[in-house]
Amino acid sequence: MVQKKFDKPTMQRLPVAQAATASAFPMLPTLGVGTLDSYIAYVNRVPMLSAAEELHLAQEFRRTENVDAAKTLVLSHLRLVVSVARQYLGYGIPHADLIQEGNIGLMKAVKRYDPNNGARLVSYAIHWIKAEIHEYILKNWRLVKTATTKAQRKLFFNLRSNKPTLSALTPSEVDALAKALDVKGSDVKEMEMRLAGGDIALEGDDSDDESAYAPIQWLADNTQEPTARIASAEADALQGPRLDQALMSLDERSRNIVQSRWLAMDAEGNGTKTLHDLAAEYGISAERVRQIETAALKKMRGLLEAQAA
Protein backbone atom coordinates (compact mmCIF):
# COMPACT_ATOMS: atom_id res chain seq x y z
CA MET A 1 0.00 0.00 0.00
CA VAL A 2 1.41 3.36 -1.01
CA GLN A 3 1.05 5.83 1.78
CA LYS A 4 0.11 9.38 1.05
CA LYS A 5 2.80 11.92 1.91
CA PHE A 6 2.08 15.36 3.23
CA ASP A 7 4.31 18.20 2.17
CA LYS A 8 2.20 21.06 3.50
CA PRO A 9 1.76 21.95 7.18
CA THR A 10 -2.05 21.84 6.84
CA MET A 11 -3.09 18.24 6.24
CA GLN A 12 -6.35 17.08 4.72
CA ARG A 13 -8.61 14.70 6.62
CA LEU A 14 -7.92 11.08 5.68
CA PRO A 15 -10.38 8.39 4.65
CA VAL A 16 -11.32 6.01 7.44
CA ALA A 17 -9.27 3.16 6.01
CA GLN A 18 -6.14 5.26 5.85
CA ALA A 19 -6.72 6.96 9.19
CA ALA A 20 -6.72 3.56 10.84
CA THR A 21 -3.05 3.28 10.01
CA ALA A 22 -0.87 5.23 12.42
CA SER A 23 1.80 5.68 9.76
CA ALA A 24 -0.55 8.08 7.98
CA PHE A 25 0.48 10.62 10.62
CA PRO A 26 3.92 12.20 10.55
CA MET A 27 6.30 10.97 13.20
CA LEU A 28 7.06 13.25 16.11
CA PRO A 29 10.21 15.19 15.24
CA THR A 30 13.44 14.47 17.00
CA LEU A 31 13.92 17.80 18.71
CA GLY A 32 17.35 17.31 20.27
CA VAL A 33 17.80 20.82 21.59
CA GLY A 34 14.25 21.60 20.45
CA THR A 35 11.89 23.87 22.27
CA LEU A 36 8.38 23.68 23.65
CA ASP A 37 7.25 26.02 20.88
CA SER A 38 8.38 23.57 18.20
CA TYR A 39 6.47 20.77 19.93
CA ILE A 40 3.30 22.86 20.14
CA ALA A 41 3.68 23.87 16.48
CA TYR A 42 3.94 20.19 15.55
CA VAL A 43 0.88 18.98 17.49
CA ASN A 44 -1.18 21.80 15.98
CA ARG A 45 -0.32 20.46 12.51
CA VAL A 46 -1.46 16.92 13.28
CA PRO A 47 -4.83 16.37 11.52
CA MET A 48 -7.93 15.91 13.62
CA LEU A 49 -10.09 12.84 13.16
CA SER A 50 -13.69 12.80 12.07
CA ALA A 51 -16.24 11.00 14.24
CA ALA A 52 -16.22 8.03 11.82
CA GLU A 53 -12.43 7.82 11.79
CA GLU A 54 -12.25 8.01 15.58
CA LEU A 55 -14.93 5.33 15.99
CA HIS A 56 -13.17 3.00 13.56
CA LEU A 57 -9.79 3.39 15.30
CA ALA A 58 -11.24 3.01 18.79
CA GLN A 59 -13.15 -0.14 17.83
CA GLU A 60 -10.08 -1.64 16.19
CA PHE A 61 -7.97 -0.93 19.28
CA ARG A 62 -10.53 -2.53 21.61
CA ARG A 63 -10.94 -5.52 19.29
CA THR A 64 -7.30 -6.21 18.32
CA GLU A 65 -5.25 -3.98 20.66
CA ASN A 66 -3.63 -2.47 17.59
CA VAL A 67 -0.98 -0.13 18.99
CA ASP A 68 -0.88 1.89 15.77
CA ALA A 69 -4.58 2.66 16.14
CA ALA A 70 -4.07 3.83 19.73
CA LYS A 71 -1.09 5.90 18.62
CA THR A 72 -3.16 7.65 15.99
CA LEU A 73 -5.85 8.45 18.56
CA VAL A 74 -3.26 9.88 20.95
CA LEU A 75 -1.49 11.97 18.28
CA SER A 76 -4.73 13.50 17.05
CA HIS A 77 -5.57 14.74 20.58
CA LEU A 78 -2.17 16.12 21.66
CA ARG A 79 -3.36 19.66 20.90
CA LEU A 80 -6.14 19.12 23.48
CA VAL A 81 -3.53 18.40 26.15
CA VAL A 82 -1.63 21.58 25.28
CA SER A 83 -4.84 23.58 25.58
CA VAL A 84 -5.82 22.07 28.93
CA ALA A 85 -2.30 22.40 30.37
CA ARG A 86 -2.26 26.10 29.51
CA GLN A 87 -5.13 26.63 31.97
CA TYR A 88 -2.87 25.64 34.89
CA LEU A 89 0.10 27.92 34.26
CA GLY A 90 -0.83 30.07 37.26
CA TYR A 91 0.47 27.45 39.69
CA GLY A 92 4.11 28.04 38.84
CA ILE A 93 4.65 24.61 37.23
CA PRO A 94 6.52 24.61 33.87
CA HIS A 95 4.19 24.28 30.88
CA ALA A 96 6.24 21.40 29.49
CA ASP A 97 5.79 19.41 32.70
CA LEU A 98 2.04 20.00 32.66
CA ILE A 99 1.85 18.86 29.04
CA GLN A 100 3.87 15.74 29.83
CA GLU A 101 1.53 14.77 32.67
CA GLY A 102 -1.50 15.57 30.54
CA ASN A 103 -0.18 13.27 27.81
CA ILE A 104 -0.04 10.45 30.36
CA GLY A 105 -3.68 11.12 31.19
CA LEU A 106 -4.54 11.09 27.47
CA MET A 107 -2.89 7.70 26.99
CA LYS A 108 -4.81 6.31 29.98
CA ALA A 109 -8.02 7.67 28.47
CA VAL A 110 -7.36 6.04 25.08
CA LYS A 111 -6.69 2.73 26.80
CA ARG A 112 -10.00 2.85 28.69
CA TYR A 113 -12.17 4.53 26.08
CA ASP A 114 -15.28 2.62 24.97
CA PRO A 115 -16.59 4.00 21.67
CA ASN A 116 -19.87 2.12 22.08
CA ASN A 117 -20.98 4.51 24.82
CA GLY A 118 -21.68 7.18 22.22
CA ALA A 119 -19.36 9.88 23.63
CA ARG A 120 -16.49 11.33 21.63
CA LEU A 121 -12.97 10.65 22.88
CA VAL A 122 -12.36 14.34 23.57
CA SER A 123 -15.20 14.41 26.12
CA TYR A 124 -13.90 11.31 27.84
CA ALA A 125 -10.19 12.16 27.72
CA ILE A 126 -10.44 15.64 29.22
CA HIS A 127 -11.29 14.13 32.61
CA TRP A 128 -8.18 11.93 32.58
CA ILE A 129 -5.96 14.74 31.36
CA LYS A 130 -7.10 17.07 34.12
CA ALA A 131 -6.82 14.33 36.74
CA GLU A 132 -3.16 13.69 35.91
CA ILE A 133 -2.34 17.41 35.85
CA HIS A 134 -4.14 17.97 39.15
CA GLU A 135 -2.22 15.16 40.80
CA TYR A 136 1.09 16.47 39.51
CA ILE A 137 0.41 20.03 40.68
CA LEU A 138 -0.59 18.88 44.16
CA LYS A 139 2.59 16.81 44.47
CA ASN A 140 4.96 19.47 43.19
CA TRP A 141 3.38 22.83 44.01
CA ARG A 142 4.54 22.80 47.61
CA LEU A 143 7.01 20.76 49.62
CA VAL A 144 4.26 20.18 52.18
CA LYS A 145 1.17 18.46 50.78
CA THR A 146 -1.59 21.03 50.39
CA ALA A 147 -4.79 19.14 49.60
CA THR A 148 -5.43 15.58 50.74
CA THR A 149 -9.21 15.14 50.65
CA LYS A 150 -11.60 15.44 47.71
CA ALA A 151 -13.13 18.62 49.17
CA GLN A 152 -9.69 20.19 49.65
CA ARG A 153 -8.70 19.37 46.08
CA LYS A 154 -11.87 20.98 44.77
CA LEU A 155 -11.23 24.05 46.91
CA PHE A 156 -7.57 24.23 45.80
CA PHE A 157 -8.39 24.34 42.09
CA ASN A 158 -11.42 26.64 42.38
CA LEU A 159 -10.46 29.18 45.03
CA ARG A 160 -8.38 31.43 42.75
CA SER A 161 -10.89 31.53 39.93
CA ASN A 162 -13.74 32.24 42.35
CA LYS A 163 -12.03 35.01 44.32
CA PRO A 164 -13.66 38.34 43.46
CA THR A 165 -10.45 40.33 44.00
CA LEU A 166 -6.72 39.73 44.43
CA SER A 167 -6.80 41.04 48.00
CA ALA A 168 -7.53 38.98 51.10
CA LEU A 169 -11.05 37.63 51.44
CA THR A 170 -13.50 39.47 53.65
CA PRO A 171 -15.76 37.50 56.03
CA SER A 172 -18.74 37.88 53.68
CA GLU A 173 -16.64 36.69 50.71
CA VAL A 174 -15.45 33.70 52.72
CA ASP A 175 -19.04 32.73 53.52
CA ALA A 176 -20.10 33.16 49.88
CA LEU A 177 -17.21 31.01 48.59
CA ALA A 178 -17.82 28.35 51.24
CA LYS A 179 -21.44 28.13 50.17
CA ALA A 180 -20.61 28.09 46.46
CA LEU A 181 -17.96 25.36 46.83
CA ASP A 182 -19.85 23.44 49.52
CA VAL A 183 -17.06 23.55 52.09
CA LYS A 184 -16.55 25.07 55.54
CA GLY A 185 -15.63 28.71 55.94
CA SER A 186 -12.61 27.71 58.03
CA ASP A 187 -11.40 25.53 55.14
CA VAL A 188 -11.62 28.50 52.77
CA LYS A 189 -9.56 30.68 55.14
CA GLU A 190 -6.93 27.99 55.64
CA MET A 191 -6.59 27.25 51.91
CA GLU A 192 -6.31 30.96 51.09
CA MET A 193 -3.51 31.32 53.64
CA ARG A 194 -1.66 28.29 52.27
CA LEU A 195 -2.02 29.46 48.67
CA ALA A 196 -0.70 32.90 49.60
CA GLY A 197 2.36 31.45 51.30
CA GLY A 198 5.47 30.18 49.53
CA ASP A 199 8.27 27.73 50.10
CA ILE A 200 11.51 29.11 51.50
CA ALA A 201 14.86 27.38 51.08
CA LEU A 202 16.02 26.19 54.49
CA GLU A 203 19.66 27.02 53.82
CA GLY A 204 19.09 30.09 51.65
CA ASP A 205 20.83 30.77 48.35
CA ASP A 206 24.46 30.30 47.40
CA SER A 207 25.27 34.00 47.20
CA ASP A 208 28.18 35.53 49.11
CA ASP A 209 26.00 38.24 50.61
CA GLU A 210 27.09 38.46 54.24
CA SER A 211 23.85 40.18 55.19
CA ALA A 212 21.77 37.21 53.98
CA TYR A 213 20.12 35.27 56.77
CA ALA A 214 18.83 31.77 56.03
CA PRO A 215 16.04 30.10 58.06
CA ILE A 216 18.47 27.36 59.14
CA GLN A 217 20.15 29.98 61.32
CA TRP A 218 16.90 30.57 63.16
CA LEU A 219 16.71 26.87 64.00
CA ALA A 220 20.29 26.43 65.17
CA ASP A 221 20.55 25.04 68.71
CA ASN A 222 23.87 26.23 70.08
CA THR A 223 23.21 24.54 73.42
CA GLN A 224 24.01 21.17 71.83
CA GLU A 225 27.45 22.26 70.62
CA PRO A 226 30.07 20.05 72.40
CA THR A 227 31.98 22.80 74.18
CA ALA A 228 28.72 24.46 75.22
CA ARG A 229 27.48 21.19 76.69
CA ILE A 230 30.73 20.71 78.63
CA ALA A 231 30.51 24.23 79.98
CA SER A 232 26.88 23.70 80.92
CA ALA A 233 27.73 20.46 82.72
CA GLU A 234 30.51 22.23 84.64
CA ALA A 235 28.15 25.04 85.63
CA ASP A 236 25.53 22.55 86.81
CA ALA A 237 28.16 20.74 88.89
CA LEU A 238 29.39 24.01 90.41
CA GLN A 239 25.88 25.05 91.30
CA GLY A 240 24.96 21.61 92.60
CA PRO A 241 26.91 19.11 94.71
CA ARG A 242 30.24 20.98 94.61
CA LEU A 243 28.68 24.23 95.77
CA ASP A 244 26.88 22.44 98.59
CA GLN A 245 30.16 20.87 99.72
CA ALA A 246 31.93 24.23 99.65
CA LEU A 247 29.15 25.86 101.68
CA MET A 248 29.20 23.07 104.24
CA SER A 249 32.91 23.72 104.80
CA LEU A 250 32.07 27.19 106.20
CA ASP A 251 31.00 28.01 109.70
CA GLU A 252 27.35 28.85 110.22
CA ARG A 253 27.78 32.65 110.26
CA SER A 254 29.96 32.72 107.14
CA ARG A 255 27.58 30.36 105.33
CA ASN A 256 24.57 32.52 106.19
CA ILE A 257 26.34 35.69 105.00
CA VAL A 258 27.30 34.12 101.66
CA GLN A 259 23.82 32.71 101.10
CA SER A 260 22.12 36.00 101.98
CA ARG A 261 24.46 38.02 99.77
CA TRP A 262 24.94 35.72 96.76
CA LEU A 263 22.55 32.78 96.64
CA ALA A 264 19.26 34.27 97.80
CA MET A 265 18.15 36.78 95.13
CA ASP A 266 15.19 39.10 95.12
CA ALA A 267 13.01 39.91 92.09
CA GLU A 268 15.59 42.39 90.80
CA GLY A 269 18.47 39.90 90.99
CA ASN A 270 20.09 41.38 94.10
CA GLY A 271 20.94 39.70 97.39
CA THR A 272 18.12 39.69 99.89
CA LYS A 273 20.31 41.33 102.60
CA THR A 274 22.83 44.19 102.52
CA LEU A 275 26.04 44.50 104.50
CA HIS A 276 24.27 46.80 106.95
CA ASP A 277 21.36 44.36 107.35
CA LEU A 278 23.78 41.57 108.28
CA ALA A 279 25.81 43.90 110.52
CA ALA A 280 22.67 44.71 112.50
CA GLU A 281 21.76 41.00 112.64
CA TYR A 282 25.11 39.90 114.10
CA GLY A 283 25.90 43.10 116.06
CA ILE A 284 29.09 43.84 114.18
CA SER A 285 30.20 46.53 111.75
CA ALA A 286 29.44 46.43 108.03
CA GLU A 287 33.19 46.34 107.34
CA ARG A 288 33.51 43.22 109.48
CA VAL A 289 30.71 41.56 107.53
CA ARG A 290 32.53 42.39 104.28
CA GLN A 291 35.76 40.83 105.63
CA ILE A 292 33.94 37.63 106.64
CA GLU A 293 32.27 37.49 103.25
CA THR A 294 35.56 37.93 101.40
CA ALA A 295 37.28 35.24 103.46
CA ALA A 296 34.38 32.81 102.97
CA LEU A 297 34.31 33.32 99.20
CA LYS A 298 38.08 32.86 98.97
CA LYS A 299 37.83 29.60 100.87
CA MET A 300 34.98 28.34 98.72
CA ARG A 301 36.80 29.27 95.52
CA GLY A 302 39.86 27.30 96.61
CA LEU A 303 37.75 24.23 97.36
CA LEU A 304 35.89 24.42 94.03
CA GLU A 305 39.12 24.77 92.05
CA ALA A 306 40.59 21.81 93.89
CA GLN A 307 37.53 19.67 93.06
CA ALA A 308 37.62 20.67 89.36
CA ALA A 309 41.35 19.84 89.03
Side-chain angles (χ1 to χ4, degrees):
M1 175 180 177
V2 178
Q3 298 177 0
K4 184 177 180 180
K5 295 183 180 180
F6 298 94
D7 298 324
K8 297 182 179 180
T10 302
M11 304 179 191
Q12 301 297 323
R13 182 168 288 154
L14 302 176
V16 174
Q18 282 186 301
T21 305
S23 58
F25 283 79
M27 294 297 293
L28 279 170
T30 302
L31 299 180
V33 292
T35 64
L36 179 62
D37 290 338
S38 62
Y39 171 82
I40 294 176
Y42 168 79
V43 299
N44 286 333
R45 293 198 303 269
V46 175
M48 299 181 68
L49 299 174
S50 67
E53 293 168 346
E54 182 181 293
L55 177 63
H56 178 82
L57 288 167
Q59 288 177 340
E60 180 178 345
F61 177 63
R62 286 185 64 84
R63 184 176 64 255
T64 66
E65 295 188 356
N66 185 339
V67 177
D68 285 340
K71 176 182 176 182
T72 304
L73 289 171
V74 169
L75 288 174
S76 65
H77 288 81
L78 288 178
R79 68 178 69 195
L80 171 65
V81 177
V82 173
S83 177
V84 173
R86 191 176 290 116
Q87 302 171 18
Y88 296 92
L89 292 178
Y91 293 97
I93 306 295
H95 195 191
D97 291 352
L98 296 174
I99 292 174
Q100 176 175 280
E101 295 302 315
N103 286 343
I104 294 175
L106 173 61
M107 289 186 283
K108 289 182 178 180
V110 169
K111 183 177 181 180
R112 293 167 173 79
Y113 176 58
D114 184 359
N116 299 321
N117 287 335
R120 291 291 301 269
L121 177 58
V122 64
S123 302
Y124 181 75
I126 198 167
H127 164 76
W128 288 92
I129 294 169
K130 287 185 175 181
E132 288 296 322
I133 293 176
H134 285 187
E135 189 69 22
Y136 183 77
I137 291 175
L138 290 174
K139 286 181 178 179
N140 295 274
W141 187 71
R142 286 289 186 268
L143 291 174
V144 179
K145 200 167 182 64
T146 303
T148 55
T149 66
K150 184 177 181 180
Q152 288 175 331
R153 288 169 180 253
K154 179 182 178 182
L155 180 58
F156 178 88
F157 287 105
N158 288 277
L159 182 59
R160 280 184 179 173
S161 58
N162 284 273
K163 283 185 65 173
T165 63
L166 295 177
S167 57
L169 293 172
T170 63
S172 59
E173 291 172 344
V174 169
D175 294 338
L177 275 174
K179 184 177 181 180
L181 299 176
D182 194 23
V183 294
K184 297 179 182 179
S186 58
D187 292 339
V188 174
K189 292 180 181 178
E190 180 183 0
M191 187 60 70
E192 182 192 24
M193 180 180 65
R194 298 179 75 173
L195 287 173
D199 293 331
I200 300 176
L202 186 62
E203 297 183 351
D205 54 29
D206 296 328
S207 66
D208 296 329
D209 186 4
E210 296 182 357
S211 63
Y213 200 78
I216 189 66
Q217 294 171 284
W218 305 339
L219 304 176
D221 185 4
N222 295 327
T223 60
Q224 300 305 313
E225 196 269 331
T227 57
R229 295 191 64 178
I230 293 173
S232 177
E234 288 290 334
D236 291 341
L238 287 173
Q239 296 175 9
R242 295 182 187 177
L243 181 60
D244 291 338
Q245 293 176 10
L247 281 172
M248 293 306 297
S249 68
L250 303 176
D251 60 83
E252 183 178 351
R253 185 175 66 172
S254 299
R255 183 166 59 251
N256 182 55
I257 290 174
V258 170
Q259 288 177 328
S260 299
R261 293 276 292 153
W262 295 96
L263 301 179
M265 300 294 180
D266 58 18
E268 297 179 356
N270 301 316
T272 57
K273 295 182 180 180
T274 65
L275 292 175
H276 294 284
D277 293 335
L278 292 169
E281 180 178 341
Y282 290 106
I284 56 179
S285 66
E287 176 60 22
R288 179 57 182 155
V289 173
R290 188 192 64 77
Q291 292 173 356
I292 295 173
E293 176 188 18
T294 302
L297 292 175
K298 182 177 180 181
K299 182 178 181 179
M300 290 178 63
R301 188 178 298 110
L303 289 172
L304 292 173
E305 289 176 352
Q307 291 174 357

